Amino acid sequence: MRQPATRTAVPAQSSGPAPAPGLDDFNTVPSAEAEAALLDCCGSHRWAQRLTAHRPYPDLDSLLAAADEAGYDLAPADLSEALAAEVSPGLHDTAPHSAHLALRAAHAAYESRFGHVFVMCLDGLEPAEQPDQVLAGIRARLAHEPDQERVVSADEMRRLARGRIIDLVSGS
């Protein structure tokens, strides 16, 4: 019987952060599949095409930096397209009826004023804190001028896209 060969462990060489578990898959799937996955992160076709075209990304930080850069470069029509693909943050079904009514009225007032859904990144907030934060956010942002609100909405879209990309490549 032959003895298994012994191997000497060689430390792995790294030139930066290790790729996220799903980053290799993201980098190698067909372009149409990568673009479709990115459209779930941000509804701008131009944004998704740009990120797809610049693959492969060596690590998650590089992908996030590219996403931020593409987000800052969105033309007004691209931002409108991304906002049209969004759904306003809502409440859990178990929330009181009055809370649902208040939030529905706030969303309607916001959409009437700005012509698009209210977007807000809720990453890092406990579910119980989210309804109050959304209502407070809508109320505060209703006082914005339309140009100021587009800047805030674009920033919120970038934050949402970052969190969604992290989920996408980490498999959560």
Side-chain angles (χ1 to χ4, degrees):
M1 187 192 280
R2 204 169 100 142
Q3 294 290 336
T6 37
R7 295 184 179 172
T8 306
V10 177
Q13 301 296 310
S14 175
S15 60
L23 185 59
D24 287 336
D25 289 339
F26 173 76
N27 280 332
T28 58
V29 297
S31 293
E33 192 175 327
E35 188 175 324
L38 287 168
L39 283 171
D40 287 339
C41 299
C42 175
S44 164
H45 282 85
R46 184 171 164 252
W47 179 88
Q49 290 165 349
R50 181 172 168 180
L51 290 177
T52 299
H54 288 96
R55 295 179 306 154
Y57 294 96
D59 52 53
L60 178 58
D61 289 339
S62 298
L63 173 56
L64 293 174
D68 284 344
E69 182 179 332
Y72 284 113
D73 290 344
L74 288 179
D78 300 321
L79 178 58
S80 293
E81 179 185 31
L83 289 168
E86 288 297 314
V87 176
S88 295
L91 298 175
H92 192 275
D93 293 339
T94 60
H97 181 68
S98 59
H100 283 279
L101 289 176
L103 188 59
R104 197 172 306 126
H107 279 299
Y110 180 92
E111 290 177 28
S112 174
R113 174 146 168 74
F114 297 111
H116 60 81
V117 299
F118 175 79
V119 291
M120 180 179 199
C121 183
L122 300 171
D123 292 352
L125 291 176
E126 294 295 325
E129 299 171 339
Q130 293 177 1
D132 291 337
Q133 292 298 318
V134 170
L135 278 170
I138 291 173
R139 288 180 183 137
R141 288 168 53 186
L142 276 169
H144 290 172
E145 290 301 317
D147 288 342
Q148 179 187 17
E149 183 54 26
R150 284 196 72 77
V151 169
V152 172
S153 294
D155 188 51
E156 291 296 324
M157 285 300 307
R158 281 188 295 279
R159 293 179 60 214
L160 286 166
R162 284 179 68 86
R164 292 168 181 169
I165 288 170
I166 291 167
D167 289 347
L168 173 70
V169 300
S170 67
S172 18

